[in-house]
Amino acid sequence: NGLSWLAKYPWNCAEQTFNKMLAHAMAVKIMQTDTAIQRMVNTRIESGKSIPVQTIPSELSEETMPWLQLNNQHALQQQRLAKLLDTVETKHMVEKYFDELRGLQTADGGLSWFSGGKSDPYISNYIVAGLGKIKNEKIPIVTSKELNGNYDKFIKRLMAYCDKWFLENLKASSRSQNIHYLYGRTSWLQQFPLRVEEKAKIDSLLNDYWQQQRSVNFGRQSLLVT
């Protein structure tokens, strides 16, 4: 039920564009793997039924009849979810959002928050971690050969930017930024192996972080453990 909310989020920065792409891609996976959901969607299509949104007299507001407000919110949510589970349209939206992400990739391979901006290490590492999740959970994101080639180039350039930023800002960057980079990088070690000197620096850094782990919040500790 959270997918339809994520897929319809109103803003269009790099973070939300990726999250909308993720929501649509997860919907495709659900339709491919969850037989109960498949039956539900097929039954609705065959019957042509949808949950109606109830109307109320114009002189009254939903605030005066809260049960209608809840019913209508549920009906609207179910309508959005049913549309999201339409795999033909949803696959098209995945490709649309990926093209928008590609449009945010700058000349150095990093991603900007908005079109025309400069590369930002936080959002670049955020996307690396998110794409790692997609890869690890085998969530379908590319369907055509042309898109697959663009996807591989996109990842390779983005990874090169994040690696370069990490090594150049190892001492200057914050512990939070470093842990986020390492968390996202973990999913790509086989496809993009680290060099010996990079491994040595990362091992030393992680050792320092383990010695200081109690001085950071639980969120950072959980990323470190992962």
Side-chain angles (χ1 to χ4, degrees):
N1 285 329
L3 283 183
S4 57
W5 177 86
L6 193 63
K8 295 294 182 181
Y9 204 76
W11 311 117
N12 294 308
C13 67
E15 180 182 11
Q16 301 306 335
T17 298
F18 170 79
N19 288 340
K20 285 186 276 192
M21 182 183 75
L22 175 61
H24 282 83
M26 290 183 71
V28 173
K29 182 181 179 181
I30 288 170
M31 283 300 292
Q32 291 176 347
T33 59
D34 192 316
T35 55
I37 293 291
Q38 290 169 8
R39 286 194 300 270
M40 179 195 77
V41 172
N42 290 334
T43 300
R44 284 190 178 178
I45 292 174
E46 291 170 2
S47 65
K49 292 180 179 179
S50 63
I51 302 173
V53 175
Q54 301 179 45
T55 58
I56 56 178
S58 57
E59 65 271 15
L60 298 175
S61 67
E62 286 191 346
E63 284 74 13
T64 64
M65 305 173 73
W67 56 91
L68 280 186
Q69 186 178 27
L70 290 173
N71 287 343
N72 288 345
Q73 285 178 353
H74 176 70
L76 184 60
Q77 181 188 51
Q78 292 301 304
Q79 289 174 7
R80 288 175 173 174
L81 183 58
K83 185 177 180 180
L84 184 62
L85 293 173
D86 178 348
T87 52
V88 175
E89 174 66 17
T90 299
K91 285 180 180 179
H92 168 73
M93 294 304 293
V94 171
E95 296 185 4
K96 171 183 177 293
Y97 288 127
F98 173 65
D99 279 337
E100 290 181 11
L101 274 183
R102 280 204 304 145
L104 297 176
Q105 190 167 41
T106 65
D108 61 10
L111 292 179
S112 61
W113 281 95
F114 295 97
S115 180
K118 296 181 179 179
S119 293
D120 181 85
Y122 173 82
I123 193 59
S124 297
N125 286 320
Y126 179 90
I127 302 300
V128 164
L131 293 175
K133 172 185 177 64
I134 284 176
K135 180 174 71 72
N136 294 340
E137 299 189 13
K138 295 181 173 57
I139 299 172
I141 187 174
V142 290
T143 54
S144 66
K145 290 183 178 180
E146 179 183 358
L147 186 62
N148 192 57
N150 289 331
Y151 183 76
D152 290 343
K153 291 177 184 176
F154 175 81
I155 291 289
K156 187 175 182 179
R157 293 182 62 219
L158 179 58
M159 197 66 61
Y161 165 82
C162 291
D163 286 349
K164 185 173 184 289
W165 169 85
F166 173 74
L167 293 172
E168 289 180 351
N169 297 276
L170 194 56
K171 295 182 179 179
S173 60
S174 69
R175 178 182 348 200
S176 171
Q177 284 273 57
N178 284 336
I179 292 178
H180 274 281
Y181 162 80
L182 295 173
Y183 169 74
R185 192 65 172 83
T186 301
S187 299
W188 301 97
L189 292 176
Q190 289 187 339
Q191 190 170 343
F192 301 102
L194 294 166
R195 293 174 299 192
V196 174
E197 59 270 27
E198 293 172 339
K199 289 181 179 179
K201 290 180 180 179
I202 289 174
D203 286 344
S204 176
L205 186 68
L206 285 172
N207 184 61
D208 289 344
Y209 286 170
W210 275 113
Q211 302 304 318
Q212 307 165 29
Q213 51 146 322
R214 295 187 183 278
S215 64
V216 299
N217 62 40
F218 287 141
R220 301 285 181 266
Q221 288 182 33
S222 65
L223 284 179
L224 188 58
V225 169
T226 305

